[in-house]
Amino acid sequence: MLATCALLLTGAVPLYADKKKKAEPAAEAKPNMLDMLDYSKIVWPNPPAITRIKYLDYFSAEKLQPPAKQKPRLSWMDRLSGVVTGETKAEKPRFQLVMPYGLTVDSKGRLYVADSKVRAVFIFDTKTEAVELIKNGVHARFGWITGLTIDDTDRLFVADSKMRRVLVFDPDHRLEGSISEGMVSPGGMAIDTENRFLYVPDAELDQVLVYDADPPYQLLRKIGTSGKDHTLTTPGDFARPTNVAVDQDGNLYVSDTLNDRIQIFDAEGNFIRAFGKPGDGPGYFARPKGIAIDGDGHIWVADGVQNRVQVFTPEGQLLIWMGEPGLLPGQFRALAGLTIDKNNRVFTSEQYPGRVQMFQYVSDAEAKAERDRRIAQAQKKRTVTPVKNLAAGQSQPPEVK
């Protein structure tokens, strides 16, 4: 666990950055300042502690590049006379996230982002940053898309709270099905690939709806009590649940958003435990939303009001946290969605401005290997070896290597 590496923290975790400013671009290009800085050494917690989270990149709009060479500007007389200058107006970005929420990653490592205002699903190749879109009016009809999830065959599920349904797309992004039975306001979904359950939290119903993840997508059961106007606080009931996640054992984790807590259920829908309470200190919540499980079974929770990500054990013990309000890497504004892929890459979505940040979680095994390496290195430095004085035939004082 994270705690085994002495990372149980009770205070803020400041970030560490070695920012190297690149050459100033030409005035006409005006690229985003974030594209001009080197953020490759932002980590949590601060050195010399063993790194557990690394900042990698962000996705927002097409990243502008400064021109390789400036063409000479012609006089106003030349332009007036119709001389071709070769200058063109800066093109608008080919894509722009406006209000991203739901996130998921397919088997090829591509990132899917649901943008409620654009009414499209953006698909990012995280290596090349090439972008595809599943568009409203072209591939399907979208109203207000929120949650995304993808199964082990790369079928994509898209929750639309305005249309009160979940649309299903095949691996080639062709629409193949729709689920609507019992839904009012579907949110951030999750799939149990072993038991073949599709979990859909419904913020208006105060329930988590459980469907068969395969056609005909039958509604199997409901978790929680509806019709109490978001007032219930009893274990197993919800007040506007917004997002869910499933661990390797098939346990269900629910962001019980208005109750400022996380609730845990087994695969049969039986309540196991809950943790969290309202507050502004580490370990407390103020509208938890996005939730995901990493490869070591830790629970990551995005807090929409406090704009931070907190990591817990399944029992609810706080291990580490990061974030504060702001626009720099590792800071958040209107934090909403969160997902973790099979390579322990962590993605977060922010709605103001529209942005997705990408981080790398350093696993327990990797952290242990680094700790062992440091211990071995320290022991080697403490090794004392006598050096013989050949001229006098005696040993000199020991030399520390």
Side-chain angles (χ1 to χ4, degrees):
M1 303 298 289
L2 280 168
T4 64
C5 297
L7 290 180
L8 178 59
L9 304 179
T10 57
V13 183
L15 58 82
Y16 170 78
D18 180 10
K19 302 178 182 177
K20 298 178 181 178
K21 194 171 183 179
K22 297 179 181 178
E24 290 289 340
E28 283 79 0
K30 295 182 180 179
N32 191 311
M33 281 295 294
L34 295 181
D35 299 336
M36 299 167 57
L37 301 174
D38 177 12
Y39 289 104
S40 62
K41 293 183 175 61
I42 296 181
V43 299
W44 291 263
N46 274 357
I50 295 173
T51 296
R52 301 312 306 268
I53 305 171
K54 299 177 182 178
Y55 174 82
L56 296 181
D57 202 354
Y58 79 99
F59 307 90
S60 178
E62 183 177 16
K63 297 176 183 178
L64 302 178
Q65 301 296 330
K69 185 178 180 180
Q70 284 293 104
K71 295 184 178 180
R73 298 178 65 89
L74 300 183
S75 69
W76 68 272
M77 285 289 291
D78 292 328
R79 293 194 293 271
L80 186 63
S81 63
V83 174
V84 177
T85 66
E87 295 177 291
T88 58
K89 294 183 179 180
E91 296 181 356
K92 294 182 179 180
R94 290 187 300 108
F95 66 89
Q96 172 71 59
L97 295 175
V98 179
M99 190 174 283
Y101 194 152
L103 305 166
T104 193
V105 181
D106 68 13
S107 63
K108 299 177 182 177
R110 295 181 299 180
L111 170 67
Y112 293 66
V113 182
D115 194 303
S116 302
K117 279 201 170 181
V118 177
R119 292 191 293 173
V121 177
F122 290 76
I123 308 170
F124 293 90
D125 185 315
T126 56
K127 293 181 180 179
T128 67
E129 298 189 2
V131 180
E132 302 175 47
L133 278 84
I134 301 176
K135 299 178 182 179
N136 175 52
V138 177
H139 302 95
R141 184 186 174 197
F142 297 127
W144 190 263
I145 53 177
T146 50
L148 297 178
T149 192
I150 202 162
D151 71 6
D152 49 355
T153 66
D154 279 348
R155 285 189 306 159
L156 175 68
F157 296 74
V158 182
D160 191 320
S161 60
K162 184 176 181 179
M163 298 295 185
R164 301 188 177 192
R165 66 188 181 189
V166 172
L167 296 181
V168 187
F169 296 83
D170 69 15
D172 295 319
H173 309 144
R174 294 187 296 259
L175 182 63
E176 70 172 24
S178 177
I179 311 169
S180 59
E181 182 184 356
M183 289 185 196
V184 176
S185 183
M189 305 168 292
I191 288 182
D192 180 343
T193 57
E194 292 296 324
N195 295 305
R196 306 306 302 168
F197 295 147
L198 169 66
Y199 291 103
V200 182
D202 194 303
E204 285 300 318
L205 293 177
D206 292 331
Q207 292 178 318
V208 174
L209 309 178
V210 187
Y211 296 86
D212 191 326
D214 300 300
Y217 309 113
Q218 181 182 357
L219 177 61
L220 302 176
R221 60 176 176 270
K222 302 177 181 180
I223 304 174
T225 304
S226 187
K228 300 299 181 180
D229 197 25
H230 323 303
T231 60
L232 295 180
T233 60
T234 49
D237 288 316
F238 311 106
R240 288 196 179 276
T242 56
N243 293 265
V244 295
V246 177
D247 68 14
Q248 295 179 352
D249 296 324
N251 295 319
L252 173 69
Y253 297 76
V254 184
S255 291
D256 190 2
T257 301
L258 285 191
N259 283 329
D260 294 316
R261 67 186 180 186
I262 303 299
Q263 296 201 62
I264 307 171
F265 302 81
D266 65 19
E268 300 301 320
N270 300 309
F271 174 79
I272 298 177
R273 74 177 70 89
F275 66 86
K277 58 180 64 175
D280 57 6
Y284 291 82
F285 294 123
R287 302 300 182 261
K289 292 186 176 180
I291 185 169
I293 315 295
D294 66 32
D296 291 324
H298 307 128
I299 307 162
W300 296 59
V301 183
D303 195 298
V305 171
Q306 299 183 108
N307 285 302
R308 66 186 178 196
V309 174
Q310 301 185 93
V311 186
F312 300 86
T313 68
E315 293 72 33
Q317 181 185 27
L318 178 65
L319 298 173
I320 191 171
W321 63 271
M322 66 175 183
E324 61 183 357
L327 296 175
L328 293 176
Q331 298 177 335
F332 306 103
R333 288 182 63 181
L335 181 60
L338 189 152
T339 195
I340 302 174
D341 71 6
K342 62 183 180 182
N343 296 314
N344 279 325
R345 294 185 303 171
V346 181
F347 299 89
T348 60
S349 63
E350 302 160 72
Q351 299 188 314
Y352 305 106
R355 177 175 67 166
V356 172
Q357 296 191 65
M358 178 170 64
F359 305 87
Q360 180 68 56
Y361 163 63
V362 178
S363 70
D364 289 343
E366 292 168 325
K368 182 180 183 301
E370 173 61 16
R371 182 183 62 180
D372 292 344
R373 186 193 68 81
R374 292 187 185 186
I375 291 173
Q377 188 177 46
Q379 290 174 341
K380 184 177 180 180
K381 286 182 178 181
R382 287 197 297 268
T383 301
V384 177
T385 304
V387 179
K388 186 144 184 180
N389 187 330
L390 298 178
Q394 299 176 355
S395 295
Q396 294 179 343
E399 179 184 5
V400 178
K401 294 184 178 180

